[in-house]
Amino acid sequence: MILIKIDSLSTQELRNIAQREGVEDYQTLSRDDLILMLREIYEEDDDVVERSDLNRRFLYGITDYREIDKDVVELPGVEELPESYPNTEIHLLYKNPNWAYCYWGISPQDMARLEEMRKTELKLRVTVSKNGTKESFDIPVSLDDTEWTVSLPEHGGICYVSLIVENEGENLELAHSSSLTLVESYWLEHGQEIKDNDNLFKIYLSLLTTKEGNVAESPLLDEILKLAEEGKNE
Amino acid sequence: MSNKNRVNLILHAHLPYVRHLEYPRFLEEDWLFESLNESYIPLLSLLDNLDQEGLKFKITFCFSPTLLTMLSDKDLNERFASYMKLHMELGRKEEQRLKGEKETLRLASMYLRNLEKNWKFYEDNGCSIIPVLKRLHKNGKIELMTTAATHAYLPLYREYPTAINAQVSLGISTFLDVFGFLPAGFWLPECGYYPGLDEVLKKYGVKYCQLPSHAVISSRDKSLYGGYAPVELPSGVNGFVRDWSITSLIWSSTSGYPCDVDYREFYRDIGYDLPLDYIRPYIHEPDVRVFTGFKYHRITGKTDEKELYDPEKAMEKVALHVDNYLYHIERKGIMLSSFGIENPLFNLCYDAELFGHRWYEGISFIELLLRRSAKSDNIALVTPSECLRDPVMKSDKLYINGCSWGRGGYSDTWLDGSNVWIYRHIHQAIERMEELTERFPDQGSLKGRFLNQASREVLLAMSSDWPYIMHDNTSVTYAEKRLRNHLGSFNVVYSSMCKNTVNTEWLIKAERRNAIFPNIDYNIFRPEKKSQ
């Protein structure tokens, strides 16, 4: 994989990389052909987006020589990680204000029970509890699934997920996750005040805006700014 | 303090724990050696000189526990000596090779001089930068803060208070072991915060942390100072909000100062340009081309026809950029004053390795920034602790939502398609570690060592660097291998302890390989301890 913008490399550098990659006529290919060839080689492996970003950490070179790190010596007794663990459990991780990620596992005993049951359906129940009310929705999953990215329906309150088995009309909870506190923003709750706080918003935005006028990326910020824009247009 | 723009410059130095003595040279160890030679040593040498000169300046540094451990490691120190000698040899060889090319020769000599100067400074300080940090701190020029033990991205471990406690307490105890006093500040790895984390920090005596720039506008409460004053979190711990607008003058990968066409091109290096027969002794086996640090071209523009680097021209640009940087701060100060905010506080947080290593002219930028700030009537360099002691300083009491400085402002960077699989295994290891502490509490001797090593492996697996590398697609194979090794190693202990045995061969080798947190007590993972 080329870790940076390939166009910035010298022809000699390109030849050296091509040689490393086993391109036979690396010495005679033109610069354009070398670039084309290397792009093809690397894009076959993965869909890496080339980036020439000075802020990238942990670079030791221009390319990731894919084979050399495979030889890191293992300590005695170390085994491969298992694909799953023998527990029935579910975990919910906060990704951003709109999405959470959950993963789960079902113990061999529970799995055997499920397979014995007739007309069994497994589902993921997402519950949001806010201001004393609870709302849930179900996502059907298969026995082979072990993870899901869950859309968070709203801001505020708490959210948790449960693994539910529906068997002949009855719901049985196999596991439930701990709760995530969902974001709650003053300005999203008080959108009508935004237009009266123009100066305060200028202060806020001065912290978040580049000299070119680009505002920092954030889904919540986008929502607040949209509200602010709507307030101005009222 | 009179009405001034207060500038809190915070540099965060961190590298993952990489130490492979089983190999004569190891590729990823170069991260440490390059950072030492190109960033830490020149930066601290500069600050030492400015201190001796009597210049007034203030900077805050965070050196992560993994980095401090590597900086104190005798074996890695010997390897760094070899690295420096090898590169000085390359410099002398380059001087010979370039005898007929005056301009390039001048650049080769510049790099050789830098290497020699850096090595002398390092040797003069007992082959360590830690005495320099202590000296600058003692002289009131720098403030030192700590961070999580292995730089774990904490929001994704909020479900495990024992693991959070272990990361915070070992971060603090490592700092205490090295510097001899308790830190007031705790750098949140990747600015990763979640509600309640401040309570943990408070429990360990932390006074402040840093926060990402969007934390204020999106908070649960209405902020009056917009991030230009400290934020008092529910626990009473203070948060210093990063100014994205000013920091992006440097950080921006498209328009930041380091992109200037007159600055040195990072990616053009003789490690890639010169024939293998010549460069072979200075790259890695087997013929793996890497950066050597000898880079002779300037960015020039979007072309492969790179022109030779001109240090004098680059220094002219540094002066212009420092002026521009200060101008932006002062202009913002005037704007904020017109809105009623006096003495605004600008928290400018950067990776320390950006200066010198990734941005060659970055050290000169800092020098000029400090010199001009010292003379300025409008700028006052401050430290977070100084701000908290200042009776004039106002603060906002805010409830901050979960956030980070990663792309999008939340956890997406550390929880995407490339790395999401790791949490199932790391969480399981934490749960099993907790289980072991309950089943085998207060073990001494061999079992105690065995369990201590297991807790080291869990902590090392939690490092934010592995998912970051997977996300960033750089040394992915290595990151994955490391993660699997730490978790697999933990499983050696778990399986053995379940059979009430100790794998002594593994233990001896593992202790030698991952020699971090020498005083760790595995009981730190005991769930009962979470309320202590």
Side-chain angles (χ1 to χ4, degrees):
Chain A
M1 152 187 42
I2 300 274
L3 299 172
I4 62 155
K5 211 170 120 200
I6 197 166
D7 296 330
S8 69
L9 302 180
S10 70
T11 307
Q12 188 56 49
E13 284 171 321
L14 293 171
R15 286 208 174 107
N16 289 332
I17 295 167
Q19 182 191 13
R20 170 90 200 172
E21 289 299 335
V23 177
E24 282 183 7
D25 42 358
Y26 69 94
Q27 281 175 314
T28 52
L29 283 176
S30 71
R31 177 181 173 78
D32 287 346
D33 286 342
L34 278 167
I35 288 176
L36 199 66
M37 187 74 81
L38 287 174
R39 280 205 167 121
E40 274 176 19
I41 288 172
Y42 291 116
E43 280 168 12
E44 271 172 16
D45 285 353
D46 40 35
D47 298 323
V48 176
V49 179
E50 290 174 14
R51 284 171 52 198
S52 60
D53 187 343
L54 260 189
N55 302 327
R56 298 190 86 175
R57 303 170 186 164
F58 314 133
L59 285 174
Y60 48 69
I62 294 172
T63 55
D64 173 14
Y65 289 113
R66 290 152 292 167
E67 300 303 318
I68 57 173
D69 287 330
K70 287 188 177 163
D71 296 330
V72 176
V73 174
E74 285 190 349
L75 294 169
V78 170
E79 292 171 12
E80 284 293 303
L81 291 178
E83 280 188 16
S84 60
Y85 295 90
N87 312 322
T88 300
E89 58 185 4
I90 184 163
H91 297 262
L92 184 63
L93 302 177
Y94 180 73
K95 205 167 156 61
N96 62 44
N98 301 324
W99 296 95
Y101 166 79
C102 73
Y103 72 85
W104 62 89
I106 299 175
S107 70
Q109 294 88 339
D110 283 339
M111 190 58 94
R113 266 198 309 146
L114 291 178
E115 282 167 351
E116 275 174 19
M117 289 178 182
R118 288 178 191 172
K119 292 184 184 174
T120 301
E121 279 183 18
L122 192 62
K123 53 194 181 186
L124 201 60
R125 176 161 296 167
V126 182
T127 305
V128 175
S129 173
K130 187 179 176 184
N131 301 330
T133 60
K134 271 188 189 179
E135 284 188 25
S136 297
F137 63 93
D138 291 344
I139 302 168
V141 293
S142 79
L143 286 179
D144 297 329
D145 288 325
T146 56
E147 59 181 355
W148 208 269
T149 302
V150 176
S151 169
L152 298 171
E154 56 182 315
H155 300 317
I158 57 163
C159 175
Y160 58 89
V161 286
S162 322
L163 203 53
I164 306 283
V165 177
E166 189 183 324
N167 184 45
E168 296 179 349
E170 275 192 44
N171 283 333
L172 167 71
E173 184 182 274
L174 283 179
H176 71 265
S177 73
S178 61
S179 300
L180 279 185
T181 305
L182 301 180
V183 297
E184 207 171 313
S185 159
Y186 178 87
W187 292 110
L188 284 182
E189 299 293 319
H190 300 82
Q192 70 285 0
E193 285 182 28
I194 293 179
K195 61 178 184 295
D196 303 324
N197 285 276
D198 201 32
N199 285 351
L200 192 53
F201 260 71
K202 280 181 183 153
I203 294 171
Y204 291 158
L205 289 178
S206 70
L207 197 76
L208 297 160
T209 312
T210 65
K211 64 178 180 185
E212 292 86 13
N214 300 322
V215 180
E217 275 180 55
S218 157
L220 204 61
L221 189 55
D222 290 347
E223 285 185 53
I224 295 169
L225 294 180
K226 199 174 160 199
L227 272 182
E229 199 57 38
E230 286 166 3
K232 272 186 200 167
N233 297 333
E234 272 177 16
Chain B
M1 191 183 285
S2 61
N3 189 10
K4 277 194 171 189
N5 299 299
R6 290 184 264 201
V7 173
N8 220 345
L9 181 60
I10 305 179
L11 300 184
H12 174 53
H14 163 67
L15 291 173
Y17 185 72
V18 177
R19 181 175 174 274
H20 291 278
L21 303 182
E22 65 274 25
Y23 295 94
R25 276 184 78 194
F26 197 80
L27 205 55
E28 281 78 4
E29 284 178 359
D30 280 1
W31 294 338
L32 173 65
F33 306 149
E34 287 173 359
S35 298
L36 264 169
N37 177 48
E38 296 168 18
S39 290
Y40 309 149
I41 294 176
L43 190 51
L44 292 175
S45 168
L46 163 72
L47 299 184
D48 207 35
N49 287 339
L50 295 180
D51 182 28
Q52 285 170 28
E53 216 180 89
L55 191 85
K56 287 187 177 171
F57 66 89
K58 296 274 171 66
I59 300 188
T60 301
F61 275 100
C62 172
F63 274 74
S64 71
T66 47
L67 178 57
L68 284 175
T69 304
M70 290 191 290
L71 291 173
S72 311
D73 189 289
K74 191 172 144 281
D75 295 307
L76 286 176
N77 218 6
E78 281 174 13
R79 286 173 173 239
F80 178 56
S82 305
Y83 172 93
M84 292 299 277
K85 279 173 195 154
L86 190 71
H87 285 75
M88 283 188 264
E89 182 191 297
L90 174 61
R92 287 188 284 274
K93 199 167 151 182
E94 277 295 273
E95 283 190 328
Q96 291 299 314
R97 184 181 71 87
L98 296 167
K99 264 187 177 162
E101 299 174 40
K102 194 177 157 199
E103 287 305 308
T104 321
L105 172 63
R106 191 168 76 105
L107 296 173
S109 299
M110 176 185 81
Y111 289 122
L112 177 58
R113 274 200 313 276
N114 287 348
L115 283 158
E116 289 168 346
K117 205 168 72 178
N118 290 342
W119 182 244
K120 184 173 184 316
F121 181 80
Y122 195 66
E123 274 196 314
D124 289 348
N125 285 286
C127 286
S128 176
I129 57 168
I130 290 170
V132 191
L133 288 169
K134 287 182 178 174
R135 187 162 66 236
L136 287 165
H137 176 263
K138 191 179 158 202
N139 294 348
K141 295 297 163 62
I142 64 169
E143 176 154 326
L144 292 164
M145 56 195 293
T146 191
T147 184
T150 57
H151 210 259
Y153 178 69
L154 301 175
L156 294 176
Y157 299 102
R158 60 195 295 173
E159 222 183 316
Y160 299 99
T162 57
I164 298 287
N165 282 338
Q167 286 284 345
V168 174
S169 68
L170 279 164
I172 288 171
S173 62
T174 304
F175 182 98
L176 180 64
D177 290 344
V178 173
F179 295 113
F181 63 94
L182 289 168
F186 189 95
W187 174 277
L188 299 176
E190 317 293 3
C191 280
Y193 176 81
Y194 63 87
L197 180 55
D198 54 311
E199 296 287 351
V200 182
L201 298 180
K202 188 186 178 189
K203 192 170 71 176
Y204 290 99
V206 171
K207 301 286 186 291
Y208 69 87
C209 59
Q210 91 295 7
L211 292 170
S213 51
H214 62 99
V216 167
I217 190 173
S218 57
S219 77
R220 197 177 281 189
D221 306 301
K222 181 178 177 179
S223 160
L224 296 178
Y225 303 109
Y228 294 101
V231 168
E232 191 183 326
L233 297 165
S235 63
V237 168
N238 282 272
F240 287 84
V241 184
R242 178 180 177 237
D243 187 317
W244 195 69
S245 163
I246 298 293
T247 50
S248 71
L249 292 169
I250 295 175
W251 268 125
S252 168
S253 57
T254 51
S255 64
Y257 303 140
C259 303
D260 190 283
V261 293
D262 285 324
Y263 286 149
R264 195 197 65 176
E265 170 66 61
F266 177 77
Y267 293 104
R268 287 292 288 271
D269 189 294
I270 64 167
Y272 288 86
D273 261 338
L274 295 183
L276 264 182
D277 286 343
Y278 177 88
I279 206 71
R280 184 172 284 119
Y282 311 100
I283 58 175
H284 278 259
E285 289 181 358
D287 290 347
V288 175
R289 290 179 176 271
V290 291
F291 294 139
T292 62
F294 286 80
K295 303 166 198 271
Y296 301 140
H297 297 89
R298 64 186 186 91
I299 292 171
T300 312
K302 288 182 176 178
T303 168
D304 63 301
E305 300 294 326
K306 303 286 182 192
E307 292 172 12
L308 267 192
Y309 178 60
D310 179 347
E312 286 76 29
K313 206 168 177 186
M315 286 309 114
E316 285 171 21
K317 282 291 172 69
V318 167
L320 286 174
H321 287 151
V322 169
D323 283 345
N324 184 263
Y325 196 72
L326 293 172
Y327 162 78
H328 275 282
I329 293 172
E330 290 176 13
R331 196 180 70 164
K332 272 186 87 173
I334 293 167
M335 183 275 284
L336 292 167
S337 176
S338 72
F339 291 139
I341 293 184
E342 305 294 341
N343 299 310
L345 177 63
F346 299 91
N347 300 303
L348 309 176
C349 310
Y350 296 99
D351 282 354
E353 299 80 16
L354 175 64
F355 299 91
H357 173 51
R358 282 176 268 161
W359 178 24
Y360 181 62
E361 296 78 8
I363 305 285
S364 304
F365 180 91
I366 290 204
E367 175 175 6
L368 211 50
L369 180 68
L370 298 184
R371 288 189 184 282
R372 294 201 173 161
S373 300
K375 286 184 188 165
S376 170
D377 293 330
N378 304 318
I379 303 277
L381 293 173
V382 292
T383 64
S385 291
E386 200 179 308
C387 292
L388 297 179
R389 285 194 299 268
D390 186 348
V392 180
M393 184 63 83
K394 298 187 169 60
S395 72
D396 263 332
K397 281 191 179 183
L398 301 178
Y399 179 99
I400 299 291
N401 290 300
C403 49
S404 85
W405 75 358
R407 183 162 289 193
Y410 298 93
S411 298
D412 299 72
T413 298
W414 299 274
L415 194 67
D416 73 357
S418 70
N419 53 34
V420 75
W421 63 272
I422 72 174
Y423 296 99
R424 180 188 300 271
H425 300 289
I426 303 177
H427 290 171
Q428 186 67 36
I430 294 169
E431 285 176 26
R432 287 180 166 183
M433 190 67 231
E434 290 178 347
E435 180 196 327
L436 287 176
T437 62
E438 287 182 319
R439 286 172 64 188
F440 307 98
D442 304 319
Q443 295 286 318
S445 193
L446 201 59
K447 275 189 187 163
R449 275 172 56 194
F450 202 37
L451 290 161
N452 285 342
Q453 193 58 32
S455 57
R456 288 187 190 101
E457 303 294 341
V458 175
L459 288 164
L460 287 166
M462 288 173 71
S463 164
S464 72
D465 304 307
W466 314 135
Y468 182 88
I469 290 171
M470 291 172 198
H471 166 85
D472 215 26
N473 223 324
T474 50
S475 302
V476 178
T477 318
Y478 178 70
E480 200 174 318
K481 191 85 186 169
R482 277 292 301 272
L483 189 86
R484 288 183 184 278
N485 257 325
H486 290 306
L487 291 168
S489 288
F490 168 78
N491 286 340
V492 171
V493 180
Y494 185 75
S495 314
S496 301
M497 289 303 288
C498 286
K499 291 179 248 167
N500 209 13
T501 59
V502 172
N503 183 334
T504 317
E505 188 193 359
W506 174 88
L507 176 61
I508 290 166
K509 289 188 173 166
E511 282 180 333
R512 204 176 296 152
R513 180 186 284 191
N514 296 322
I516 192 169
F517 312 129
N519 302 319
I520 198 169
D521 176 358
Y522 70 94
N523 288 293
I524 200 166
F525 276 95
R526 257 166 98 174
E528 295 86 21
K529 288 198 168 182
K530 66 187 172 188
S531 58
Q532 284 176 10

